[in-house]
Amino acid sequence: MRALVIGAGVIGASVAYRLARGGADVTVVDRGAPGGGTSAASFAWTNANNKTPRAYHELNVEGMRAHAALRAEFGAAPWWHGGGNVLWAAGDDGRARVSQRIERLRAWDYAALELAPARLHELEPDIPVDAIRDAVIAHFPDEGWIDTTVYVHALLEAARGLGARVHPGTTVRELRRTGNRVAGVQTDPGATYEADVVVNCAGRWADAVAGPAALPVPLAPNRSVLAITPPALTRLARVVHAPDCQLRPDGGGRVMVQADDIDAAVTAAAADEPPADLADELVRRAARLLPGLAGVGHEHARLGIRAMPADGHSVVGPHAGVSGYYVVVTHSGVTLAPFLGIVAANEMLGGRPDPRLAPFRPDRFARA
């Protein structure tokens, strides 16, 4: 099988590796640098924490399991960082929400612990006790985060070792079709790639790549601002969700910070660049949790635009109405990438639908 994968982020790299490992002749094209699009501007938290309904939660659990299996498969995984995720909220409503989440996740056999403040201090000694007060504290020990660029590089290099070819800086202009069959792509500046299957892993560009023949699925991308601090004196060791921001280590003493209300503001404003004032506000919030960040400002900021299907859930499977065209577009791509790479490749190579993907097929929008 000749497979042409559009997009070399975490999803595209995962699909390309699994197709190549399954014996396909794989070509990967990306309009930019591999891993340089949405994957490079992601909080990159691996979890199934607040993913509903149950089918979507289970899909993300499969993603977490696939990350663990991939670490075993490669013998090492310098891209993956564990330690879990700590979350807390104060006030009657906040405490109730955290308690309900712990109960729901335990009922779904997901590791969810309630921590005493003293235990949180053992895990994250730099966080002041005053920042916790009377909060309910949850710990989800199986969660973590990844270095997306390291992940993409590892999987693409493994795919190359199996014969795959990767072409960065290559923009798809047109799908080549023979009747109702997709037979390849035309790229800028005019190269032609023939394929038995074209796999659209273009993320937030998935509905626009290749013009009118692209994915007819409603996408609702939203924006996210990530502030990254300079190296600072902090011992942050894991993902932390506090009431007004979430943060995690970002290597070399740096901390990455995000906040849902700031994401909502930049989405509403349709910003094209990360606003510097909002990035500084993120670091100020983080400094209330990590005193070593006081006064440092942000070293740089990233604006990410998430690949969000309109109903918030993954879109995976053959394109309705044509053959030779397969779609893998999703939010939570960092969590889902290794699992979706396996099941998508298996479907394309073996021709047998995976029942776990049944709720996530592209044609559900046509049926609505």
Side-chain angles (χ1 to χ4, degrees), residues 196-258:
D196 300 304
V197 61
V198 172
V199 193
N200 187 339
C201 301
R204 70 179 180 92
W205 298 279
D207 60 347
V209 68
L215 170 67
V217 170
L219 299 181
N222 56 36
R223 287 165 164 75
S224 177
V225 173
L226 301 172
I228 296 88
T229 72
L233 297 178
T234 173
R235 291 171 286 181
L236 184 69
R238 58 188 43 78
V239 178
V240 169
H241 282 78
D244 64 353
C245 67
Q246 45 258 23
L247 55 159
R248 66 161 174 82
D250 199 43
R254 293 173 173 83
V255 174
M256 177 182 286
V257 195
Q258 181 186 8

Side-chain angles (χ1 to χ4, degrees), residues 155-328:
L155 268 71
L156 287 181
E157 284 303 300
R160 281 190 176 108
L162 295 165
R165 297 164 298 281
V166 181
H167 300 287
T170 302
T171 300
V172 174
R173 292 299 182 193
E174 183 181 358
L175 293 178
R176 299 185 65 249
R177 296 179 61 166
T178 303
N180 288 329
R181 178 179 173 274
V182 174
V185 300
Q186 189 84 22
T187 67
D188 208 7
T192 297
Y193 295 90
E194 295 183 351
D196 300 304
V197 61
V198 172
V199 193
N200 187 339
C201 301
R204 70 179 180 92
W205 298 279
D207 60 347
V209 68
L215 170 67
V217 170
L219 299 181
N222 56 36
R223 287 165 164 75
S224 177
V225 173
L226 301 172
I228 296 88
T229 72
L233 297 178
T234 173
R235 291 171 286 181
L236 184 69
R238 58 188 43 78
V239 178
V240 169
H241 282 78
D244 64 353
C245 67
Q246 45 258 23
L247 55 159
R248 66 161 174 82
D250 199 43
R254 293 173 173 83
V255 174
M256 177 182 286
V257 195
Q258 181 186 8
D260 292 343
D261 62 317
I262 286 180
D263 286 356
V266 297
T267 295
D272 292 324
E273 297 292 336
D277 59 333
L278 295 183
D280 284 334
E281 169 61 18
L282 286 170
V283 177
R284 283 192 291 271
R285 295 183 188 187
R288 295 197 283 268
L289 302 173
L290 301 173
L293 297 179
V296 303
H298 73 281
E299 183 175 77
H300 65 282
R302 302 172 194 159
L303 179 71
I305 303 181
R306 300 183 181 100
M308 182 71 73
D311 63 3
H313 300 138
S314 306
V315 181
V316 187
H319 187 286
V322 297
S323 62
Y325 192 49
Y326 194 99
V327 175
V328 188

Side-chain angles (χ1 to χ4, degrees), residues 86-99 101 131-138 241-244:
V86 174
L87 175 150
W88 73 86
D92 291 343
D93 288 346
R95 289 194 297 270
R97 285 195 302 272
V98 175
S99 295
R101 188 180 302 189
I132 309 302
R133 298 188 182 91
D134 60 346
V136 171
I137 308 165
H241 282 78
D244 64 353

